[in-house]
Amino acid sequence: DRGNKVEIESVTSEVDIAKNHGVKVYSIGMMPFWNGPDDSQAAAYADHIVEQVLEHDPDAFFWPRVQLSAGYPNDDMREMNLSADGSRDQVSIANPNYRKRAAEAMRNFIRYMEKKYGKHMAGYHVAGAHHGEFQYCNFGRLGNLFGYDEGTLAAFRKFIREKYKGDEEALRKAWNRRQLTFEQVMVPPPFMRYGDQTRILHNPRTEQPAIDFNEFLNSDMAQFILEMAHVVREECGKTRLTGVFYGYLFECMPQGNGPSQSGHFGLAKLIHSPDIDMLCGPYSYSNQARVPGGPQFTHTVGESVTAAGKIWCNEDDTA
């Protein structure tokens, strides 16, 4: 159709420019194989893009951005994130069924691409959660906190049991609740998660549940990324680059619900993982950085990333 024609014309015109300037690696969004190893729709889309690029640059390499945040085929609303206002939007990252199916869909996609285009594969860019950038859905939408679905609650209870080493007395002391059991742990209510707006930090004497939940959110998001990255390693070993959008420490700081709701503060897990080669992020969206002649701010602590032996890639998404 006309829409496809315009899209392909846009892609191939960029390929022509890139080829003339010696660029050989192409990052293009593609769909995982949600419908099994013979997912004809996802395969057709990948073939459609790859073959158009190869027609214009036979020596091209691909680093596909595999969109685990799109197209997930589920009919069970319980798998969806539940926000405080009762709305459900994107799938819950903590849901175990989603995580299992995401790993399978990623694996099937890799096997297809390696078998058909192996000599042209540079690596895999795992993309998930909000906008494919591993942020929690609507984390910055002031007044509507997320995480009240069954999957998140179950994962949070597991995290709490592990954090307090199965010691309910330690949990009761930390949360200042004398009769609390691990089975009674709940996601803290919005008023506690917002805390005292006149202070920068939560008060551990009265808001330890919120502190623990924030730690869980960031730890679990990082763990999800590592599960997907490990699939790439299992399928390709160290012959392919594995990368993700993550670590937007500076850009997440001014968000209305607080930086901890983003999921991006599990960076240490990623930079110390053998399954991650590259971390990425757009350069800053601040008004100063997006004007001609303005300074370019990086989303993260780039020196820490490179000191850990990883690559930091600034994405130029200038309109």
Side-chain angles (χ1 to χ4, degrees), residues 26-283:
Y26 297 90
S27 171
I28 302 172
M30 297 185 189
M31 297 291 292
F33 280 38
W34 290 117
N35 296 314
D38 301 316
D39 191 326
S40 58
Q41 185 175 2
Y45 183 76
D47 291 342
H48 184 58
I49 297 292
V50 168
E51 288 169 11
Q52 288 288 335
V53 173
L54 289 177
E55 182 179 328
H56 285 248
D57 184 358
D59 299 320
F61 287 91
F62 295 92
W63 192 49
R65 189 178 300 182
V66 190
Q67 302 285 4
L68 296 169
S69 55
Y72 177 56
N74 77 304
D75 298 317
D76 188 349
M77 289 302 291
R78 292 174 300 178
E79 291 189 20
M80 306 300 283
N81 164 66
L82 176 61
S83 294
D85 69 352
S87 63
R88 292 183 182 268
D89 24 53
Q90 292 181 1
V91 66
S92 171
I93 294 301
N95 188 282
N97 187 53
Y98 169 70
R99 301 246 290 237
K100 179 182 177 182
R101 293 188 67 183
E104 292 170 352
M106 185 78 198
R107 193 181 306 278
N108 290 332
F109 174 81
I110 292 170
R111 289 179 178 178
Y112 180 84
M113 297 299 286
E114 291 294 330
K115 182 177 180 180
K116 192 163 186 178
Y117 304 108
K119 68 179 182 178
H120 291 284
M121 298 309 298
Y124 296 89
H125 183 157
V126 184
H130 193 53
H131 290 171
E133 296 175 281
F134 290 103
Q135 300 165 341
Y136 284 103
C137 182
N138 298 323
F139 79 94
R141 192 170 70 187
L142 188 62
N144 190 29
L145 291 171
F146 58 90
Y148 293 96
D149 51 276
E150 294 177 13
T152 300
L153 174 59
F156 180 48
R157 285 176 172 171
K158 181 175 182 291
F159 172 85
I160 288 297
R161 187 181 290 271
E162 292 173 353
K163 174 173 180 173
Y164 290 97
K165 299 179 172 60
D167 185 347
E168 285 185 339
E169 284 302 321
L171 172 64
R172 291 165 183 163
K173 183 178 180 181
W175 283 30
N176 196 24
R177 290 179 58 185
R178 293 181 181 179
Q179 304 299 321
L180 183 65
T181 67
F182 286 116
E183 289 73 22
Q184 293 172 331
V185 165
M186 298 297 291
V187 174
F191 77 85
M192 183 182 289
R193 291 170 65 182
Y194 281 124
D196 183 345
Q197 295 294 296
T198 66
R199 291 187 283 107
I200 295 175
L201 302 176
H202 280 294
N203 183 347
R205 291 184 178 180
T206 57
E207 298 168 345
Q208 188 62 40
I211 295 171
D212 285 347
F213 187 66
N214 290 346
E215 182 182 352
F216 157 75
L217 287 176
N218 292 276
S219 174
D220 197 52
M221 183 65 83
Q223 183 59 39
F224 174 50
I225 293 170
L226 292 180
E227 289 168 14
M228 300 304 107
H230 191 64
V231 171
V232 182
R233 278 289 189 262
E234 285 183 330
E235 293 298 317
C236 305
K238 292 189 176 182
T239 65
R240 302 288 184 261
L241 285 172
T242 306
V244 296
F245 286 126
Y246 196 75
Y248 300 3
L249 306 187
F250 302 138
E251 205 75 5
C252 289
M253 289 301 292
Q255 298 297 329
N257 292 323
S260 57
Q261 305 306 297
S262 67
H264 270 235
F265 287 76
L267 183 59
K269 276 191 172 187
L270 270 61
I271 65 175
H272 293 133
S273 169
D275 294 338
I276 297 290
D277 300 305
M278 183 182 294
L279 293 160
C280 318
Y283 70 101

